[in-house]
Amino acid sequence: MLDSTLIKFGLITSLAGIYILLTFTEIQAEKKYINEITEKQIDKRIKIFGYVDNVKYTDKTSIIKVRDLTGRMNIISFKKISPKKGSLLQIEGKVAKYNNELEILANNIILY
Amino acid sequence: MLSLIIPIILGTITGMITGLTPGIHINLVNVIIISLLPFLTKISSPLQIICFIISMSIIHTFLDFIPSTFLGVPDTETSLSLLPMHRMLLDGKGYEAVLLSIIGSLFGLILIIILTLPIILTLKKIYPLIENYIPHILLISITFLLIREKKSKIISLFIFLLSGILGIAVLNLNVPQPLFPLFSGLFGTSMLIISIKNKVKISRQLKTFPSLKIITTTKTLLSGIIASFMTGTLPGLGATQAAIISSSFSKIKEKYFILLTGAIGTIIMYLSVLTLFSINRSRSGSVVAISKIIQSITKNDLIVIISITLITAGIAVILALKISEIFSLLISKVNYNKLCIAIIIFITTLVTIISGFQGLIILITATFIGIITQIKEIPKNYLMGSLILPILLFFTL
């Protein structure tokens, strides 16, 4: 196989990657206030900032109630985390609905 | 898309540095990333950091064959234990050797990306069943490697145990980056010292191209995927073991063996991402870093990772071809002995800075074990005892 053929294959591979990236992915999570999150956002990636109200734990999850200026919402984390009450969090995750209530399944939580 | 361009460029540059500099592994960068995470997450998004790590890792796996082909060349007298790439370099076919590894890396990667879904399903179903049998699988793998060894079974076992004892000692010491001096000594400086001793001279390099059969190439790549799946999902086993297991499925020619080793390094890197996605286990330094950044990999993250992998694989092909062209032009012109001495001094300095005085002792000890392995013409995969033995003890004691 010639190197020119290999370069062509390389370019096709890169172009395929760019196409998949532009077509099938959401690169940046949209920043939202809690009251802006509606059922339309279910399964979408969003980012919110909020203060911790309280934290509860189940066997496999940490359920963090956060609030911002506009409302309150449950954040579900599949890792045990224990932020202090009143601390500021940046949460990125997917919107989901559980027991008729909207919540965020956290993919990433940053403690400020 | 625009927000990911800078991480891809930075990852490409870093991957070039780690891939082309002997002794510098991407895990060193991954450790730096993890220690800087509180700062990095404030100036960039988690996805941007992941993009950087993936770009760096993919570029690294494509380029790391260049220094091992052109810089770590033992003499023809020890040819039994030489990797075929080194033999091709001594024949003046270093460029073709790198070309074969690039073909393996690119098409192996494309093939495993196509097989992503069945692999995820298999991992989810099979891993919970084999998790408790990991030490047994490791033992069977080692026995398999020893049985396959045609000569010096006892010396091979001795080398395996010796490097294993060193591995246990090193991993129990409080040394920063303990694996860096360990692997630099076992695989890097030992080979360079033998090259100096044997006064290796590199002949003029020719630009030759391989002729490959599509069916044999596909079969080789598929066997590489199966072997990578067997070793990549288990701790302690890696690319070398996968290559040995894979090549034992059927007798393969030298050029297909190079293709296979090229493919396996890249396949294992991608497979470790799938392992994190499907069973939440980290099997490579890069994936450990990713797991510290995000709590879990979502489907969206996985598709972004696949895209970045494809984009950087294309960039890596062009870079690897151009850089190996430059290397093949320069390698016969430079004084190879002086180059080896310079690399040894560089690695020693780096080890002293990163791992301190204890690191230097590890480097010297590991170098001696590496030298014994070469003198006795034992394949270098037995040196992986330095990782396998500590893991076996961890699971069994």
Side-chain angles (χ1 to χ4, degrees), chain B residues 8-163:
Chain B
I8 291 174
I9 294 171
L10 291 176
T12 303
I13 295 168
T14 318
M16 278 174 73
I17 296 168
T18 60
L20 294 174
T21 318
I24 296 192
H25 197 263
I26 36 173
N27 284 352
L28 187 68
V29 183
N30 287 324
V31 170
I32 296 170
I33 292 174
I34 292 170
S35 61
L36 292 177
L37 266 185
F39 168 72
L40 290 173
T41 46
K42 285 189 173 68
I43 58 162
S44 53
S45 73
L47 210 55
Q48 284 174 315
I49 308 172
I50 292 171
C51 270
F52 170 83
I53 294 171
I54 294 292
S55 313
M56 173 183 71
S57 310
I58 294 296
I59 297 282
H60 178 98
T61 61
F62 272 76
L63 298 188
D64 61 355
F65 279 91
I66 297 174
S68 59
T69 306
F70 289 101
L71 302 180
V73 194
D75 187 48
T76 41
E77 282 169 22
T78 55
S79 58
L80 274 178
S81 65
L82 280 187
L83 284 171
M85 290 184 96
H86 298 144
R87 273 204 290 269
M88 286 185 78
L89 179 75
L90 296 178
D91 287 345
K93 292 180 179 176
Y95 183 77
E96 187 179 332
V98 177
L99 204 68
L100 281 165
S101 81
I102 301 169
I103 295 170
S105 296
L106 180 68
F107 291 101
L109 190 64
I110 292 171
L111 206 57
I112 195 169
I113 286 178
I114 294 168
L115 295 171
T116 296
L117 199 61
I119 286 173
I120 289 172
L121 294 174
T122 317
L123 272 171
K124 278 185 178 167
K125 296 266 182 221
I126 289 180
Y127 191 81
L129 301 175
I130 62 163
E131 196 173 19
N132 294 329
Y133 301 101
I134 284 173
H136 307 87
I137 296 171
L138 280 170
L139 262 177
I140 292 166
S141 309
I142 297 156
T143 319
F144 184 65
L145 292 180
L146 281 168
I147 291 169
R148 258 182 58 84
E149 189 53 41
K150 288 186 186 77
K151 55 174 225 174
S152 314
K153 283 191 174 63
I154 293 171
I155 302 177
S156 302
L157 182 66
F158 174 73
I159 294 288
F160 176 82
L161 292 174
L162 198 63
S163 57

Side-chain angles (χ1 to χ4, degrees), chain A residues 1 3 14 26-27 77 107-108, chain B residues 46 95 210 293 295-296 300 311:
Chain A
M1 184 184 274
D3 48 2
S14 285
E26 291 171 56
I27 295 166
S77 166
N107 182 223
N108 183 51
Chain B
Y95 183 77
I293 298 163
Q295 309 213 327
S296 59
N300 183 68
I311 294 169

